[in-house]
Amino acid sequence: GQISEHCQPEILGYASQILPIVFALLDDNTVAVQATSCYVLEMFCERLEPEGVRPLLDALVKKLAAMLEGTTKRSVQEMAVAALAATAVAAEEEFAPYIGGVAALMSRLMVLTDEKLYTLRGRALECMGHMAIAVGKDNFRPYFQDTMRCACEGLTFDSTDLHEFAYAVFANIAKVMGEEFAPVLPELVPHLVKVIGEDEGQLEQAV
């Protein structure tokens, strides 16, 4: 895991040897092994080109989705969602056939209200933003409204982490949707202006 993160891009040259082994470890019964395997996949997929992830794409998406549905361990769920997001980024438009199934999984996570699950909710939002970038406006349009509703709702929660996930989603999806993002602005802009004003006030007090 550490090598896959810190030895980029050299480690990518060994992807064809490493990824099949890591993929097999997703079936391990040990939670730590499952979570670490997802982490390694995330680190690789974030930097691979579509042709690098293509041979494993179908099996990888199905395996991560099944893992996400089949576990109650929060750490594994979070890493599986992150790995799905990275896989989408790597696959680009080739991820389009999978967006419906993955979006259905994310839709259940994006509405979590338990404070202990805020990070999982944020990861699901992040995944939607990454899928939007991967598959483009037309493919993402059916999921745009629900994603924005959940992201805006997250801004009402007392969670800085969840807010930061939402801001990243807004930025990514605004790039993808262009002028179709405009209906979100009346609700989003006043919140952003308020947050900026609060940050400036804290900075002035610190100085």
Side-chain angles (χ1 to χ4, degrees), residues 40-117:
V40 173
L41 288 171
E42 178 189 4
M43 290 300 101
F44 268 93
C45 289
E46 279 184 346
R47 296 163 177 85
L48 283 173
E49 297 296 325
E51 58 269 21
V53 75
R54 186 179 297 128
L56 289 172
L57 180 58
D58 186 69
L60 181 56
V61 173
K62 290 177 180 176
K63 178 70 72 175
L64 290 170
M67 178 183 292
L68 184 58
E69 289 190 287
T71 184
T72 57
K73 300 296 183 181
R74 190 163 68 247
S75 60
V76 176
Q77 291 175 321
E78 290 175 5
M79 295 309 297
V81 172
L84 280 168
T87 301
V89 172
E92 297 180 357
E93 290 187 354
E94 292 184 31
F95 197 82
Y98 306 100
I99 188 171
V102 177
L105 291 174
M106 296 306 112
S107 67
R108 299 203 292 266
L109 303 179
M110 290 191 300
V111 296
L112 295 171
T113 57
D114 186 336
E115 187 174 350
K116 295 178 181 178
L117 300 176

Side-chain angles (χ1 to χ4, degrees), residues 181-203:
F181 190 81
V184 181
L185 297 178
E187 181 175 358
L188 178 58
V189 171
H191 171 84
L192 296 177
V193 171
K194 179 182 177 183
V195 171
I196 292 170
E198 291 172 351
D199 287 346
E200 288 180 347
Q202 292 174 1
L203 181 61

Side-chain angles (χ1 to χ4, degrees), residues 23 30 34 59 62 150 168 176 195:
F23 184 76
T30 306
Q34 290 180 336
K62 290 177 180 176
C150 293
V176 174
V195 171

Side-chain angles (χ1 to χ4, degrees), residues 14-25 56:
Y14 301 91
S16 62
Q17 298 166 254
I18 295 173
L19 289 183
I21 297 172
V22 175
F23 184 76
L25 288 173
L56 289 172

